Amino acid sequence: MKITVNGETRETVSETLGALLLELGHGEARVATAVNEAFVPAAARDGLRLAAGDRVEIVTPRQGG
Amino acid sequence: MPVFYGTEVASPLMLGTAQYPSPAVLAEAFRRSGAGVATVSVRREAGGERAGQDFWRLISGLGVRVLPNTAGCHSAREAVTTARMARELFETDWIKLEVIGNADTLQPDPFGLVEAARILVAEGFKVFPYMTEDLVLADRLLQAGCEVLMPWGAPIGTGLGLLNPYALRSLRAHFPDVPMVIDAGLGLPSQAAAAMEMGFDAVLLNTAVAKAGDPVAMAEGFSKALEAGRLAHGAGPMPPRDMAAPSTPVLGKAFL
């Protein structure tokens, strides 16, 4: 199905957010996530089923002021 | 040293982590300045670069308290979601709340700020609101549950200093027991000293250090200026006067 990850449309076979993170190589990385503008805690990622058209945001620690 | 939400920090200097020429310079600026708090953000990571993980290791090694921000958010909804992600990412309930109302001046949106603060406080966040120096806004943010206020000195990144000393003095006088941080707009250590002389508890800055010719020396300069200003405020400065007054006693002067 087609979803959007960090603003870019892509095809995925992952059925859950947890699986998507593994697919994208974020398995061990320190990231935080939101789907359709709503925060998804780490503990809820495996239970969150993705649907076509979902907008996924994956963020990491970065420099800030 | 300043106490925010019951936690004493090591220094009145809160330093940003963006725009440094290198990670090594950033780390040395923190070491030389003794800054007690580092501001950080959350951002998307381009595929495979892992810069976020490297940055996390760098920040973890500084031994300072981390204050994540919601920089770039233009609505309360966006800021709240960003704050929730930041809390998980940085494992802290401290959040520098930014809700930008004007893209040119980066002026905070006071209405969105209060709305987001109320939501985040209810969720247990310790909110540090980046705000204008408005007295009524300050009152609303305190009512929303903020225990720290962060009025701007000038628009972010300008280095213009304390543009509205009257309003800042008024804010300080109206809420004498609320910890207050001057956040944004400082360009020189003398401006930071002036903020401390007014009775502010700390300053938060980034560009003035990161974009200096020698960021490490500038970080140390700010640290020393803050200490000078803090001492001056505690010492009780003399009131200014218009007329001259001799400091040397007139009594006993020889008739020549």
Side-chain angles (χ1 to χ4, degrees):
Chain A
M1 66 182 147
K2 270 203 174 109
I3 59 171
T4 304
V5 179
N6 286 352
E8 292 183 6
T9 304
R10 63 182 304 142
E11 193 75 33
T12 182
V13 294
S14 300
E15 294 186 350
T16 67
L17 178 59
L20 177 70
L21 290 174
L22 287 174
E23 180 188 325
L24 297 177
H26 293 299
E28 300 299 317
R30 179 177 280 267
V31 297
T33 53
V35 175
N36 301 331
E37 293 81 48
F39 170 58
V40 181
R45 290 173 191 159
D46 288 339
L48 191 138
R49 297 193 69 78
L50 293 172
D54 276 349
R55 299 174 303 281
V56 178
E57 291 288 330
I58 304 169
V59 297
T60 65
R62 294 309 277 265
Q63 295 85 347
Chain B
M1 286 300 133
V3 176
F4 303 125
Y5 291 100
T7 298
E8 183 174 15
V9 297
S11 158
L13 178 58
M14 304 165 80
L15 200 50
T17 56
Q19 308 184 79
Y20 289 82
S22 72
V25 171
L26 183 161
E28 184 62 10
F30 270 82
R31 196 188 66 75
R32 280 267 291 277
S33 70
V37 173
T39 48
V40 293
S41 72
V42 302
R43 287 291 180 265
R44 292 168 168 172
E45 187 153 73
E49 68 182 27
R50 296 287 177 266
Q53 313 307 310
D54 293 341
F55 177 68
W56 172 252
R57 275 190 289 278
L58 174 67
I59 291 302
S60 300
L62 294 178
V64 299
R65 193 155 184 115
V66 171
L67 176 61
N69 68 25
T70 63
C73 292
H74 287 256
S75 71
R77 182 192 54 75
E78 195 183 2
V80 166
T81 302
T82 302
R84 290 169 179 160
M85 290 197 286
R87 175 157 67 176
E88 183 175 82
L89 214 44
F90 292 103
E91 298 171 349
T92 177
D93 50 14
W94 282 20
I95 190 74
K96 174 182 164 180
L97 181 60
E98 290 188 33
V99 182
I100 300 301
N102 182 282
D104 291 329
T105 62
L106 299 180
Q107 180 166 340
D109 168 2
F111 310 100
L113 196 59
V114 172
E115 182 186 349
R118 193 172 289 124
I119 295 168
L120 292 172
V121 167
E123 293 183 13
F125 281 91
K126 311 285 193 299
V127 177
F128 293 68
Y130 160 64
M131 55 181 285
T132 51
E133 67 282 71
D134 188 283
L135 196 58
V136 180
L137 172 59
D139 195 41
R140 296 293 188 278
L141 287 167
L142 294 172
Q143 287 175 26
C146 296
E147 295 180 17
V148 175
L149 298 176
M150 299 213 298
W152 66 350
I156 293 171
T158 60
L160 292 171
L162 306 177
L163 286 183
N164 194 344
Y166 163 77
L168 290 172
R169 274 195 297 270
S170 180
L171 198 58
R172 182 67 286 180
H174 272 78
F175 305 106
D177 300 325
V178 175
M180 285 193 204
V181 183
I182 295 292
D183 176 15
L186 300 185
L188 288 168
S190 55
Q191 298 158 351
M196 298 301 284
E197 288 165 2
M198 278 187 199
F200 286 91
D201 299 274
V203 305
L204 196 166
L205 55 96
N206 190 154
T207 312
V209 167
K211 289 296 188 186
D214 183 344
V216 175
M218 189 61 87
E220 186 176 354
F222 268 101
S223 176
K224 290 184 169 173
L226 287 166
E227 178 64 7
R230 190 183 68 81
L231 284 169
H233 178 71
M238 63 166 279
R241 47 180 287 150
D242 288 333
M243 296 297 291
S247 50
T248 303
V250 178
L251 191 69
K253 180 187 176 297
F255 282 92
L256 302 172

